[in-house]
Every structure is written in structure tokens, then in C-alpha cells.
């Protein structure tokens, strides 16, 4: 942006004698000055001064910008984004007056960030997103930290307290149970807090970058304390049970950011809830029952399953129908109630961490320059998490003038984390989805309380039995502080409170060979411990992300990702040389007991079930050459080598895609054990249950890419946008194909089948059926095809929810499981039973009538059709999907309401569509199909080095809360799948609406 001094108006006045004027009439415009053009930095009011005339005054502007009114004495000139030269003209009869204007971004009050090595210029676009220009990377990161704190202080502070397991210090006793859980889980086998070990292991360069970022956060906190002191903080803070002030805020430290990063990685990778649920199911129904065969399975038995690393596109996707899980599970009986307790506690924790919990629905893909209509490689990404309001991601661009930094970054990060987790750098763009590696094992421990073999019992610490010996757990003492009032006087030791059975335990107990004990039954002599790769305390994940942010090509990006160890992500990469790559690097345990190539192979202890903790048979991590059980750190022999992990570069088909599904088709359906249907068959074992093992979205993305290339030869930008908003229902196709093979007799079921057959002919689309996003007030779309697809999609989802509820609720309720928490399992099980095991006992009423699975389908079709015709309308066109399929954002904290839950919004899509809208399966909601998760950003980049293009969507304001929204309605645009152009590098100079300079001056 070139500098301008404030000048005066160049004013031209014309005298005339007609139109109600006389020879003494005149027209002038104010403001006026002594010459030159008027410098305008924002909306500016202009007044027309008409003398000796009663002619009406009109206004016009050329050269850019707009005016608020075209008639009257006053108008407000609104400058365009960036810098421009304009002419504002007033006319009254034959009189005219003209002002020459030079508009520039508004200059905001300068800021200060101690420690900057040079001034930092921040320009803001129309979305209020900051674009940071700095002399070197550490200054950009300092500014990013400051801006994150300024824009999203409450989410940062809240999640910091969650991650450091001291939420009760912020919200009171309501946070105590969560603190206890997280302290139990985030401890190393040596008994250290994970984030403390991570800080000690950080390399010097990463430490310098992180400390610069933290300096920016703390600069804002210090300024807030200097200006507000003991005044209550506003916004979301006002809805906490206790008033907090700026002086209650503590400086951010390295361990705060590292703990926050680990918490987010935990939500994206842990398998405690899943394995405890499997164990609970097996304890109830046995390892070899037909229900277990259907419920606990590696993949959906659909006839088309696409895989990231398949050599060719959709038409050659491998058809398969995986059969039963043959390796039997160990006995769960003595630990059944504990596993149920672990499952319930993990579900409760997920419920409290709604915005951070992983949600099936993330998509990404890259297209090489060879297959791109734009002539450059392209990347698209929409990672799915809970749709928090304000949104979980904070967007920024950062450009360093130091060439050695190679920092020209555009993207988003979670507030409190430096750099960008989603976006593009100077040379490389990327997208992320959760991989779903199996990186967690639960161990069923047997206690030893015999003083002769367990000396620790004298201090009331039971030992555990391992390899025939008694092992003393590591004891980690814990104390908790709870807020009961404002200020420091309102913080008390939890021991002083009357908490009864809710009082926290005095210590965390850690089994050195496995990990922390997360459930213990002293009377029963049993315990459950958890081992998760995120409990390793010397990984370098921040180094990996910063290396990705500044990579020069896909090869250097992949080299950097070798440091990204936890919270495994499917990274798809595209560079400005036209290359693409796929790299889901992470620490994945070596499990010789799950590898048929080794002498230790034990098909009776598959790792997706809880494992025996007594050390026999050998079910420990590692290849035996390193003491992985004792856990002195990340030893190479503990983890599967990089070369054996899925990865690829520049495939002949010209694209990679991921959607949380199996990338290889070998991890869940290869050879190696006798039946050829077990994940144990893939050397090495990577996962039993990928994050979305249904495969519906991955297959649809592959199909669209393949079909577009087949039809056009290439993929264009418009194709990428259309794919992100696609709502074709592959689950609908899977079930309708099965229904068409059945002989139905119920008249209502036959009417439903006729509708669904018409839906099949129309293409299984799931539009909202409305013009607009208000589910109640928006008019119905006038296009008949849209109306028909909308109504048939409504019918399908009503049928599916009815079917799943009829079949599974009676079996899940006795073991405390909820259908909403097991939708992927239920859909896979239902498809399996209908195609491979139609008489499975799941389809019978528990303890009651017998039904075949086909009978259950016919019943559900009839019930769904009757429910819609009687509760909605007898006219099928009145079944409008968007009236009932609605999105409502979620607050970060359940205590926070009052404007932080915008919605509901009518949305297209449905279960497992690419534009995901997975609705609730709870029948108690009647004919309502709400959901609350989706793409936390939608991002598309064209990797053109000369004229890069970045398209972006953000589901909410860049700044915190509904009262500080600046610019357009970003959430409203997101709901309608509308992108904004995200200025990259010096593109901001032509679109900035304001600018601000930061210096180190106090």
C-alpha cells in the first residue's frame, strides 16, 4: 500500500441559470481543502451545499466504491477494498460539483508487541481476516499470537484450561470430573505430564518460533490487564458462573500450547472409547455370536469400495464382501462392568469436548497439473469437527520478507497453535483428514494386593501382575483447585469441598509396561490401563507442521511430516511444480502378535479388542529388540517404519483422495490368516476400523474425479467446488439396490419402494428443497426435480433411522450403548446382514418375536411411509428435507448460550454424503434430523506460482462472538456453500479495507 498524506478536495463548481437556479446559485461539496485529491480511508460522509436553488440534488460515483444514497443533501461514500481513485459528483439542475478522491485502507491505531525485530504491517480484508507482513518469521508468529488472543481469547483460555486439566479453576466443580479424566490420560509411563516432557524435548529452532508466538499472546494479555485490570471480562466470559477479570489471566507458556495441541491430537486419534465399547459388546454377547460377527467388522460389505492408493480410478475399484472377524477375543467377563464404565466415561468426555471431537466427514483430494484444467496442481479440503460458534479455526496469512524463511502462508489454525494446520504455503498446499490408525490398546490388568509380593500395598497402592511377577505402579500425586468465587480468593483446594464420592483420587497410577490405569476395581481385583501413542513425550509435531508450512515442494513436505507423530492425518499435498503426494505419517505401534509373519503371531488376541495385561501371551508393543514396554521414549523398533506406511507420489491416474477410509484395501481385507478376511493379514497391521470404514464418501469422491476426467480429460476449479457441495447418497444407493431384490407385500412398503426407485432414477440427490436457509420461512424450490429428490431423500432417511432403531435398539440398550454413537457400525452391520447373514439374531426382537432381516426392511419401509403421510402430508412433494434436516452450531461450553448457537439452518446432504450432514438417529426426535458438525473450513487452492488462487469458507466470524461480527455473514455464506477469495501474498494490497502497524515500542 503506498503512503498518502491527507489532502484536500479538488472541487469544480459550475454556475447556471435553469432548473430552479439563478446566476447567483452555486453547488459545492464538503469536505473541501486547498487542492489535490481527498484521501479517504473508510466510509466518509459528503454534504452538497446548494445556494439560491431548489433543484433536487443527485449523486453519482465513478472509479470504484459505492454511495449509500443517490439523492438528497448527504451521501456516504464507501470505498472499495484496496487502493483506488474515484470521482464523486453532485448534480442539481444544471449545476455540478465534483470531488476527486483517493481511497486507501483505513489506518487503525498502531499496536505494540514487545520483542519485534522490525515493524509488522497487518492488513485486514472484507472478512476481517488479518494478513501479516513481517521482516522475518518470528515477527509474523508474534503478530499471529497477538491476533489470535485479541480475536479468540475465550476459546483459547477455555481450551487451555481443558488441556492442562484445570478447568475447575475456571468454571468450578462442574469441570472437576473432566480434569480427573484428562490428568489420568495425559501422563507418560514414567509418570510425567506429557506436555512437560514435550517442552523439554523441543528442538531450539522450534522453541524460538513458539516463544515468539507466545510473546504475542502475552503482549495482548498484558495490554488487557493494563486497560481493564479488575473489570469483568465481557462476551462469553459474562456467561460463566463466576466473573473473571483480566487480572485473573495467566501468561501463556510453552506447555500450554503443547498441551492444547496434544488434546486436539487425542480427539483425532485415541481409540479408548471404541475398544472399550467392543469389549463391552463381547462381554455381553460373546466373541463368536452372530451379533458380534455383524457388529464388530472391519469394513462395509458394499460392492464398491474406493481406496486412496488404488492404481486406477473408480471403475476399477475392488469389489469385496469381508466376512466375519475370525480371530476370537479374549475373555472379557471379569472386566465387563469396568469396560462399560470406561466406555461411558469416554462418551461423556466426548460430549463435553464437542467442538474438538472428531466427526466422520472430513474430505480432501489433490489433482496433479497433468489432470488439471487450470494447468497447475490443485488441492481441496474440508475437515469436519463440531461446528463451534465462533468457529474453531482462526484464519491468517503470513508473509516474511526474509527469503530464507520461505514463509508465504495462508490458512487456519486452532487458536493457541502457531502456523497453519489447513491451507497452503509459498510452494505447497495441503489438506488433512483423520487416518484412523490403531494407535491405542487397552490392557486388562489383574491386581496383586499380597503384601508378600507387593510391598506398595502398605501405602494402599495395589500392584499388577505381569509375566508372573508383581509390578509396582508409578504413583503420580495429584491435587485439584476449584473455583468457588471471583478472584484468587475464590480458588480453593478440592479437599476442602464436600464432594462425597465425587472427590478426586489422590494420585494417578501408571503401569510402567502399559500406561495409566483408567479404571480400577479393588474388590474385584481388576483394572484397565490405556496405552496411546500420544503419551510419548519426545515427539516433534510442531516442528513437522512448521516444516510443512514452509516446504518448497512435496518432497520436502513429506520429509517434514516425518516429525508429525500423533493424531495421524491423511495429508494430501500439491506443489507449484505440478506434483501431488499422499503421506499419512504417524507413530503406529509394531504389534508382532498381530503380524502373521512373526513367531509371536497370536490370532486369539486381535488388537481391536482389550488385551490381556499379564504379559502372556506376548501382546506388548515393539519387535523385542527394544524395551518399548518400559517406555524410555520413541525407540525406532517400537514403531512401524515409514517405508511400510501408506504413501505415494504422482500416480498415473492424476489424483489422490481421502475421506477417513481405508487407503490401501489391504488393512482390512487381505490374506495372511486362514480365512483371508482379517486385518491381521496385512503386514504390518495398521488398523481394524478406519475412522470411516463405511467408505461411502471416499468412493463417491473417487467416482466424481474419475468421471470428470473421463468426460472432460481434466478437472477444473468449478468441478472442485461442485465436489465439495455434492450430496449424492451412496448409502441410499446401497439400500435401494438391496430393496429392489426383495419381494414386498405390504402396500405401504410398496409405495415407499416406488418412491425410492424414482429417487434412484433421479440420481440419489439430497437437496434441501428450499430456496434459502431458513427451515421454516424459506419458500420451496420451484424446480420439480429438486422437490422430488428432496422428498425421496427425506423418505430414505426416515426409513433408515426406523430400520436401524427397530433392529438394534433392543440389543444396545441393555449394554448402555446409544445408536447415535454407533451409526457407522450399525450401517455396516445392517448391510452385512442383508447381503451375507439374513437370519442374524440381531434382526429378532430381544427376548421376543423372530424376524428375518428382510422382514425388518419391509416393516421399516411401511412405517416410514405411514409416518410421513400421516405426520407431514399425504402429498409426497410436501416432504421437504430442508424443513427437518437442519444445522445448529454448538457453543464451546454448555454453560454458554445467549446468541452463541446460531441456527437452525436448512441444509442439503445427509448420512455419509460428501457435503456431510449426518443426522441424529434418535427416534425420540420424531421427524427431525438435526446435526451439529461439518467442515470447519472449506478450502481450495490452485498452486499457480504467478497468480495463485485460494478459495475459502469459514462457518462464522473471524472475531469472537456475535456482537463483534465485522464484514459479511461468513456463517450464512458457509451454509449456502459460497466461497470468498482469500487474498494470498501481495494480493491483499488490492483488497484490504484497513491496515495496522505493530512495533516493539511500549
Amino acid at each position: 500500500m503506498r503512503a498518502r498524506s491527507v489532502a484536500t478536495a479538488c472541487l469544480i463548481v459550475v454556475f447556471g441559470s435553469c432548473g430552479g437556479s439563478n446566476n447567483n446559485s452555486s453547488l459545492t461539496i464538503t469536505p473541501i481543502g486547498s487542492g489535490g485529491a481527498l484521501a479517504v480511508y473508510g466510509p466518509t460522509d459528503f454534504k452538497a451545499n446548494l445556494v439560491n436553488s431548489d433543484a433536487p440534488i443527485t449523486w453519482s460515483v465513478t472509479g470504484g466504491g459505492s454511495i449509500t444514497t443517490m439523492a438528497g443533501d448527504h451521501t456516504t461514500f464507501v470505498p472499495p477494498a484496496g487502493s483506488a481513485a474515484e470521482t464523486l459528483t453532485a448534480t442539481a439542475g444544471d449545476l455540478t460539483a465534483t470531488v476527486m478522491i483517493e481511497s486507501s485502507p483505513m489506518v487503525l491505531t498502531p499496536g505494540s508487541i514487545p520483542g519485534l525485530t522490525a515493524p509488522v504491517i497487518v492488513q485486514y480484508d472484507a472478512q476481517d481476516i488479518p494478513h501479516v507482513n513481517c521482516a522475518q518469521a518470528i515477527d509474523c508468529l508474534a503478530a499471529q499470537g497477538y491476533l489470535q488472543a485479541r480475536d479468540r481469547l475465550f476459546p483459547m483460555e477455555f481450551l487451555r484450561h481443558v488441556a492442562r486439566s484445570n478447568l475447575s479453576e475456571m468454571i468450578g466443580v462442574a469441570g472437576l470430573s473432566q480434569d480427573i479424566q484428562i490428568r489420568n490420560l495425559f501422563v507418560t509411563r514414567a509418570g510425567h505430564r506429557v506436555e512437560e516432557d514435550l517442552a523439554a524435548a523441543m528442538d531450539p529452532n522450534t522453541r524460538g518460533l513458539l516463544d515468539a508466538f507466545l510473546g504475542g499472546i502475552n503482549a495482548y494479555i498484558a495490554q488487557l490487564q493494563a486497560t481493564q485490570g479488575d473489570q469483568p471480562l465481557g462476551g462469553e466470559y459474562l456467561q460463566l458462573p463466576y466473573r473473571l477479570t483480566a487480572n485473573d489471566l495467566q501468561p501463556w507458556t510453552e506447555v500450554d500450547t503443547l498441551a492444547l495441541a496434544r488434546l486436539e491430537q487425542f480427539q483425532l486419534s485415541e481409540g479408548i472409547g471404541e475398544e472399550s465399547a467392543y469389549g463391552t459388546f463381547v462381554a455381553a454377547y460373546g466373541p463368536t455370536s452372530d451379533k458380534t460377527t455383524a457388529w464388530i467388522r472391519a469394513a462395509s460389505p458394499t460392492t464398491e469400495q474406493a481406496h486412496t492408493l488404488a492404481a486406477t480410478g473408480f471403475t476399477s475399484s475392488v469389489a469385496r464382501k469381508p466376512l466375519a472377524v475370525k480371530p476370537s477375543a479374549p475373555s472379557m467377563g471379569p472386566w465387563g462392568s469396568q469396560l462399560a464404565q470406561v466406555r461411558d466415561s469416554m462418551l461423556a468426555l466426548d460430549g463435553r469436548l464437542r467442538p474438538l471431537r472428531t466427526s466422520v466427514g472430513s474430505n480432501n483430494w489433490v489433482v496433479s497439473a497433468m489432470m488439471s484444467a487450470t494447468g497447475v496442481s490443485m488441492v481441496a479440503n474440508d475437515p469436519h469437527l463440531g461446528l463451534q460458534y465462533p468457529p474453531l479455526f482462526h484464519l491468517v496469512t503470513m508473509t516474511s520478507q526474509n527469503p530464507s524463511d520461505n514463509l508465504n502462508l495462508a490458512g487456519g489454525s486452532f487458536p493457541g497453535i502457531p502456523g497453519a494446520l489447513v491451507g497452503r504455503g509459498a510452494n505447497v498446499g495441503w489438506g488433512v483428514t483423520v487416518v484412523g490408525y490403531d494407535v491405542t490398546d487397552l490392557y486388562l490388568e489383574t491386581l496383586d494386593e499380597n503384601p508378600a509380593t507387593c510391598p506398595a500395598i502398605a501405602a494402599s497402592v495395589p500392584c499388577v501382575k505381569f509375566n508372573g511377577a508383581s509390578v509396582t505402579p508409578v504413583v503420580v500425586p495429584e491435587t485439584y483447585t476449584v473455583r468457588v468465587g471471583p478472584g484468587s480468593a475464590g480458588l480453593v483446594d478440592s479437599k476442602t469441598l464436600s464432594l462425597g464420592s465425587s472427590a478426586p483420587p489422590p494420585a494417578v497410577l501408571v503401569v510402567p509396561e502399559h500406561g495409566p490405569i483408567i479404571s480400577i476395581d479393588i474388590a474385584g481385583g481388576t483394572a484397565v490401563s490405556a496405552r496411546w501413542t500420544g503419551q510419548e513425550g519426545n515427539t516433534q509435531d510442531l516442528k513437522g507442521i512448521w516444516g510443512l508450512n514452509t516446504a518448497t515442494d512435496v518432497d520436502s513436505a513429506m520429509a517434514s511430516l516425518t516429525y508429525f507423530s500423533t493424531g495421524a492425518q491423511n495429508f494430501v499435498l500439491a506443489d507449484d511444480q505440478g506434483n501431488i503426494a499422499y503421506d499419512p505419517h504417524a507413530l503406529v505401534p509394531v504389534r508382532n502378535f498381530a503380524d502373521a509373519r512373526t513367531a509371536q503371531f497370536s490370532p486369539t488376541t486381535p488388537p481391536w479388542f482389550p488385551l490381556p495385561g499379564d504379559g502372556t501371551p506376548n501382546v506388548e508393543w515393539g519387535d523385542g529388540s527394544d524395551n518399548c514396554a518400559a517406555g524410555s521414549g520413541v525407540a525406532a523398533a517400537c514403531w512401524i517404519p515409514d517405508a511400510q506406511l501408506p504413501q505415494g507420489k504422482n500416480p498415473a491416474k492424476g489424483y489422490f483422495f481421502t475421506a477417513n477410509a481405508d487407503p490401501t484395501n489391504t488393512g482390512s481385507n487381505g490374506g495372511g490368516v486362514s480365512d483371508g478376511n482379517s486385518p491381521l493379514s496385512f503386514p504390518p497391521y495398521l488398523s481394524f476400523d478406519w475412522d470411516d470404514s463405511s467408505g461411502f464418501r471416499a468412493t463417491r469422491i473417487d467416482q466424481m474425479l474419475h468421471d470428470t476426467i473421463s468426460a472432460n480429460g481434466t478437472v477444473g476449479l468449478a468441478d472442485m467446488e461442485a465436489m465439495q457441495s455434492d450430496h449424492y447418497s451412496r448409502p441410499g444407493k446401497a439400500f435401494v439396490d438391496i430393496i429392489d431384490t426383495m419381494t414386498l407385500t405390504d402396500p405401504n412398503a410398496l409405495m415407499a419402494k416406488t418412491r425410492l426407485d424414482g429417487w434412484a432414477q433421479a440420481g440419489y440427490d439430497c437437496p434441501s428443497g428450499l430456496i434459502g436457509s431458513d427451515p421454516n420461512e424459506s419458500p420451496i424450490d420451484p424446480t420439480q426435480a429438486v422437490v422430488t429428490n428432496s422428498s425421496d431423500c427425506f423418505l430414505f432417511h426416515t426409513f433408515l433411522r426406523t430400520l436401524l432403531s427397530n433392529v438394534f435398539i433392543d440389543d444396545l440398550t441393555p449394554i448402555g450403548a446409544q445408536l447415535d454413537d454407533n451409526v457407522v457400525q450399525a450401517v455396516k452391520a445392517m448391510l452385512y446382514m442383508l447381503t451375507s447373514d439374513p437370519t442374524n439374531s440381531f434382526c429378532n426382537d430381544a427376548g421376543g418375536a423372530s424376524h428375518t432381516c428382510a422382514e425388518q426392511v419391509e416393516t421399516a419401509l411401511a412405517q416410514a411411509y405411514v409416518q410421513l403421510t400421516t405426520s407431514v402430508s399425504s402429498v409426497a412433494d410436501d416432504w421437504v428435507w430442508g424443513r427437518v434436516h437442519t444445522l445448529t452450531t454448538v457453543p464451546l461450553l454448555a454453560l454458554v448460550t445467549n446468541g452463541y448457537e446460531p441456527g437452525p439452518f436448512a441444509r442439503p446432504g445427509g448420512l455419509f454424503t460428501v457435503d456431510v450432514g449426518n443426522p441424529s438417529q434418535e427416534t425420540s426426535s420424531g421427524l427431525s434430523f438435526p446435526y451439529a458438525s461439518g467442515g470447519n473450513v472449506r478450502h481450495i487452492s490452485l498452486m499457480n506460482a504467478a497468480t495463485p488462487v485460494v478459495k475459502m469458507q469459514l462457518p462464522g466470524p473471524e472475531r469472537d462472538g456475535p456482537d463483534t461480527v465485522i464484514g459479511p455473514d461468513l456463517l450464512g455464506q458457509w451454509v449456502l456453500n459460497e466461497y470468498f477469495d482469500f487474498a494470498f501474498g501481495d494480493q491483499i494490497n488490492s483488497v484490504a479495507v484497513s491496515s495496522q502497524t505493530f512495533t516493539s515500542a511500549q
Side-chain angles (χ1 to χ4, degrees):
M1 182 185 71
R2 70 175 186 266
R4 294 180 175 85
S5 60
V6 177
T8 56
C10 176
L11 181 65
I12 302 172
V13 182
V14 178
F15 296 93
S17 58
C18 59
S21 60
N22 55 53
N23 289 337
N24 294 319
S25 61
S26 65
L27 177 63
T28 60
I29 301 175
T30 53
I32 59 174
S34 59
L38 180 67
V40 169
Y41 302 106
T44 304
D45 183 71
F46 288 89
K47 182 178 187 297
N49 305 290
L50 182 61
V51 178
N52 294 329
S53 173
D54 57 3
I57 300 170
T58 59
W59 298 87
S60 63
V61 65
T62 59
S66 62
I67 50 178
T68 56
T69 182
M70 300 181 67
D73 292 349
H74 288 263
T75 193
T76 299
F77 168 72
V78 180
S83 301
E86 303 93 350
T87 302
L88 178 67
T89 301
T91 302
D94 59 355
L95 303 175
T96 61
T98 303
V99 176
M100 309 300 291
I101 298 171
E102 285 191 350
S103 61
S104 303
M106 182 181 298
V107 178
L108 303 176
T109 303
S112 65
I113 303 174
L116 292 178
T117 67
V120 173
I121 305 297
V122 179
Q123 299 180 83
Y124 301 89
D125 61 21
Q127 289 75 39
D128 204 35
I129 297 167
H131 297 250
V132 181
N133 192 295
C134 61
Q136 53 182 320
I138 57 172
D139 292 336
C140 276
L141 286 170
Q144 184 188 26
Y146 182 96
L147 296 166
Q148 283 187 2
R150 184 201 65 188
D151 294 350
R152 303 286 185 83
L153 183 62
F154 179 82
M156 286 177 63
E157 280 292 303
F158 177 79
L159 292 175
R160 168 166 70 158
H161 281 80
V162 171
R164 297 302 310 280
S165 59
N166 54 22
L167 183 61
S168 56
E169 294 181 11
M170 186 180 193
I171 69 171
V173 72
L176 190 55
S177 63
Q178 181 171 304
D179 288 343
I180 295 168
Q181 269 187 285
I182 291 178
R183 290 201 195 182
N184 235 22
L185 293 167
F186 285 72
V187 62
T188 70
R189 288 182 307 288
H192 306 156
R193 284 288 302 193
V194 173
E195 63 267 28
E196 293 172 356
D197 279 4
L198 290 171
M202 195 162 27
D203 75 278
N205 183 63
T206 304
R207 187 182 304 280
L209 295 169
L210 177 57
D211 287 348
F213 173 78
L214 298 174
I217 296 175
N218 289 326
Y220 178 76
I221 291 175
Q223 292 170 21
L224 196 64
Q225 290 172 333
T227 57
Q228 295 195 22
D230 288 327
Q231 298 177 30
L233 293 167
E236 290 160 282
Y237 282 97
L238 294 177
Q239 299 176 70
L240 294 176
Y242 307 102
R243 293 291 176 260
L244 297 181
T245 71
N247 287 338
D248 291 319
L249 303 176
Q250 298 298 312
W252 271 65
T253 64
E254 292 173 350
V255 292
D256 291 328
T257 287
L258 293 168
L260 180 56
R262 206 49 130 210
L263 174 68
E264 289 154 352
Q265 292 170 322
F266 173 78
Q267 288 295 105
L268 297 173
S269 69
E270 63 81 21
I272 296 172
E274 181 179 64
E275 291 201 6
S276 59
Y278 285 169
T280 302
F281 195 95
V282 169
Y285 295 113
T288 59
S289 72
D290 56 357
K291 292 181 181 180
T292 300
T293 296
W295 191 252
I296 301 175
R297 22 188 333 92
S300 177
T302 51
T303 57
E304 292 172 328
Q305 288 272 317
H307 303 280
T308 306
L309 292 176
T312 55
F314 174 77
T315 55
S316 298
S317 296
V318 177
R320 62 183 185 170
K321 288 189 178 182
L323 302 179
V325 175
K326 297 299 183 184
S328 61
S331 173
M332 307 290 170
W335 292 270
S337 61
Q338 284 182 270
L339 290 171
Q341 180 269 325
V342 170
R343 178 204 60 197
D344 293 344
S345 67
M346 291 306 298
L347 286 173
L349 181 61
D350 277 349
R352 291 190 294 268
L353 296 177
R354 285 178 298 172
L356 288 180
R357 70 184 299 184
T358 180
S359 171
V360 170
S362 298
N363 309 300
N364 65 18
W365 58 91
V366 282
V367 179
S368 69
M370 173 181 64
M371 292 298 181
S372 170
T374 66
V376 298
S377 61
M378 303 185 292
V379 57
N381 189 204
D382 53 311
H384 282 233
L385 297 164
L387 283 169
Q388 172 190 324
Y389 188 87
L392 188 57
F393 280 92
H394 183 267
L395 299 182
V396 71
T397 75
M398 294 190 288
T399 304
S400 170
Q401 298 305 312
N402 182 355
S404 64
D405 290 334
N406 199 43
L407 178 62
N408 193 10
L409 181 66
S413 182
F414 300 143
I417 307 294
L421 304 176
V422 172
R424 62 155 296 165
N427 306 108
V428 178
W430 66 92
V432 294
T433 68
V434 172
V435 179
Y437 290 139
D438 185 352
V439 295
T440 309
D441 277 321
L442 296 184
Y443 288 90
L444 306 178
E445 310 284 359
T446 301
L447 302 181
D448 179 10
E449 296 185 273
N450 183 350
T453 53
C454 178
I457 199 66
S460 301
V461 177
C463 299
V464 297
K465 296 178 180 180
F466 185 78
N467 280 344
S470 184
V471 176
T472 302
V474 176
V475 179
V476 186
E478 297 288 357
T479 59
Y480 298 84
T481 305
V482 179
R483 182 170 293 280
V484 296
S488 59
L491 294 172
V492 301
D493 191 303
S494 65
K495 295 176 182 177
T496 67
L497 300 175
S498 300
L499 296 172
S501 61
S502 299
V508 172
L509 301 181
V510 182
V511 179
E513 290 75 14
H514 299 145
I517 291 176
I518 59 175
S519 176
I520 190 167
D521 179 5
I522 298 294
T526 58
V528 178
S529 64
R531 185 166 189 184
W532 167 57
T533 57
Q535 291 158 343
E536 300 299 330
N538 63 349
T539 64
Q540 304 286 340
D541 302 80
L542 288 183
K543 180 177 181 177
I545 289 296
W546 187 251
L548 173 65
N549 290 175
T550 56
T552 56
D553 52 31
V554 296
D555 293 321
S556 62
M558 294 175 77
S560 295
L561 289 174
T562 61
Y563 294 103
F564 191 82
S565 303
T566 312
Q569 297 291 296
N570 286 302
F571 285 97
V572 292
L573 309 165
D575 67 26
D576 56 6
Q577 293 109 66
N579 302 302
I580 60 173
Y582 167 64
D583 186 12
H585 181 270
L587 295 182
V588 183
V590 170
R591 296 178 173 96
N592 281 345
F593 64 93
D595 187 339
R597 301 170 300 173
T598 73
Q600 300 177 45
F601 175 67
S602 176
T604 61
T605 52
W608 53 88
F609 291 119
L611 298 168
D614 59 7
T616 53
N618 183 10
V619 289
E620 308 303 318
W621 293 3
D623 66 358
S625 63
D626 264 317
N627 190 8
C628 295
S632 59
V634 183
C638 301
W639 319 117
I640 294 173
D642 286 350
Q644 295 184 38
L645 294 174
Q647 57 191 279
K649 179 182 175 184
N650 290 337
K653 63 187 177 184
Y655 61 86
F656 286 119
F657 62 89
T658 81
N660 314 117
D662 177 0
T664 65
N665 192 33
T666 51
S668 58
N669 191 45
V673 291
S674 59
D675 65 358
N677 293 289
S678 167
L680 298 182
S681 62
F682 178 48
Y685 166 73
L686 296 176
S687 182
F688 169 74
D689 206 355
W690 303 92
D691 203 57
D692 180 8
S693 51
S694 74
F696 286 118
R697 288 175 297 109
T699 302
R700 176 59 179 165
I701 294 168
D702 187 23
Q703 178 184 17
M704 288 189 288
L705 286 166
H706 177 268
D707 290 353
T708 300
I709 292 171
S710 297
N712 306 322
T714 57
V715 178
L717 174 59
D719 299 318
M720 303 280 276
E721 293 180 349
M723 289 172 62
Q724 280 196 327
S725 61
D726 179 75
H727 28 77
Y728 174 101
S729 175
R730 287 199 67 84
K733 180 181 185 303
F735 279 96
V736 172
D737 284 348
I738 292 170
I739 292 169
D740 283 343
T741 67
M742 296 178 177
T743 301
L744 306 178
T745 58
D746 186 292
N748 289 307
L750 287 167
M751 292 294 291
K753 178 181 182 298
T754 299
R755 294 290 312 185
L756 293 177
D757 285 342
W759 189 40
Q761 293 298 315
Y764 295 109
D765 195 18
C766 275
S768 72
L770 298 172
I771 302 295
S773 59
D774 188 314
N776 300 311
E777 302 298 329
S778 295
I780 295 176
D781 194 301
T783 307
Q784 183 59 46
V786 172
V787 172
T788 302
N789 270 309
S790 171
S791 62
D792 294 342
C793 177
F794 192 174
L795 172 62
F796 167 71
H797 282 87
T798 306
F799 151 74
L800 182 62
R801 185 162 71 182
T802 303
L803 174 65
L804 299 182
S805 298
N806 289 350
V807 171
F808 297 116
I809 289 295
D810 57 339
D811 297 283
L812 296 180
T813 299
I815 61 173
Q818 301 293 321
L819 188 57
D820 251 358
D821 298 309
N822 297 277
V823 177
V824 174
Q825 291 302 115
V827 170
K828 289 193 302 183
M830 199 70 239
L831 289 171
Y832 167 76
M833 292 187 297
L834 289 169
T835 56
S836 304
D837 189 13
T839 60
N840 191 291
S841 61
F842 252 139
C843 289
N844 298 328
D845 294 338
S850 297
H851 305 283
T852 67
C853 296
E855 289 171 347
Q856 291 280 29
V857 169
E858 182 165 12
T859 297
L861 283 169
Q863 289 175 338
Y865 188 80
V866 169
Q867 187 177 17
L868 287 176
T869 54
T870 58
S871 300
V872 180
S873 172
S874 60
V875 179
D877 282 358
D878 293 338
W879 307 344
V880 182
W881 182 229
R883 300 280 190 225
V884 296
H885 184 240
T886 57
L887 165 74
T888 299
T889 59
V890 296
L892 181 61
L893 175 63
L895 297 172
V896 176
T897 54
N898 303 338
Y900 287 88
E901 296 177 89
F905 301 99
R907 288 282 292 138
L911 186 67
F912 305 148
T913 54
V914 174
D915 185 5
V916 180
N918 294 337
S920 169
Q921 298 301 312
E922 294 298 330
T923 55
S924 60
S925 55
L927 285 174
S928 177
F929 293 81
Y931 72 104
S933 63
N936 274 228
V937 292
R938 294 193 186 104
H939 163 233
I940 299 174
S941 280
L942 275 58
M943 300 305 299
N944 189 328
T947 55
V949 173
V950 182
K951 298 283 189 177
M952 189 71 74
Q953 296 180 30
L954 185 70
E958 175 77 348
R959 296 203 188 189
D960 191 13
D963 297 330
T964 57
V965 174
I966 299 174
D969 178 10
L970 294 181
L971 177 57
Q973 290 181 2
W974 182 96
V975 167
L976 298 175
N977 273 320
E978 295 177 352
Y979 299 85
F980 60 85
D981 291 315
F982 195 16
F984 183 71
D986 60 9
Q987 292 173 347
I988 186 60
N989 294 335
S990 61
V991 298
V993 298
S994 61
S995 69
Q996 188 174 23
T997 300
F998 289 87
T999 67
S1000 61
Q1002 296 295 317

